[in-house]
Amino acid sequence: MLKTKIAVLVSGGGTNLQALIDSGVLKSGEIVLVVSNNENAYALKRAEKAGIKTAVVVKKGVPQEEFEESLIKVLEENGIEMVILAGFMCILTGDFTRRYPNRIINVHPSLIPSFCGKGFYGLRVHEAALSYGVKVTGATVHYVNEIPDGGKIIMQKAVEVHDGDTPEILQRRVMEQAEWIILPQAAEKVAESISKSR
Ligand code: GAR
């Protein structure tokens, strides 16, 4: 069976990208491109080390429509069939998401519908969870539509909050115990269904 051609969109450190590369779980898809809005993202180095093609699409100072058109152009040039948002800190509108219905997935570091939507990203999510005082948090992988963090949920995994947690400690636990596990699993599920539907 032909593997689903995947692009991973990143903005920062890229530990979720690394999990996708290393886990061995993603068998029905191949990461053929890593795209970042940030040319200094360490995730780009991880991609290069793994021999994966990279591209930078600048967002800063660029109108949303133009940014999304540039993204679509690079995805189309590379024959991309599925998109994984792995720490991609840019909002995408319906103009973009409608191009890939049920073919874009995102990992979010909380149990959606808690601590999600506009303004909830990265460490801020864990800061909010700690200040609310939740005792259980986790991660969610979901389809991406025009509503930020609003698409149908594919997988979730719960993680305990411990007394004395800082946002950084909690972020690391959520990554280790949830994100790095469920992102490859959910990616495989979606990649498999795309390759079977061909
Ligand atoms: C991850 O925790 C990811 O879930 C989160 O940013 C971090 C990126 O880390 N994404 C969001 O908050 C999106 N709303 P990484 O670059 O090491 O994968």
Side-chain angles (χ1 to χ4, degrees), residues 24 30 34-35 46 49 68 74-75 94 96 118 128 136 140 143:
E30 186 186 356
V34 171
V35 185
R46 295 181 189 270
K49 276 186 200 149
E68 292 186 354
V74 73
L75 298 180
F96 181 90
K118 208 163 178 271
V136 176
T140 304
Y143 287 110

Side-chain angles (χ1 to χ4, degrees), residues 96-116:
F96 181 90
T97 60
R98 272 191 294 275
R99 297 280 195 122
Y100 298 92
N102 291 329
R103 284 167 179 246
I104 312 173
I105 68 171
N106 177 49
V107 61
H108 182 78
S110 74
L111 294 174
I112 290 175
S114 289
F115 313 117
C116 64

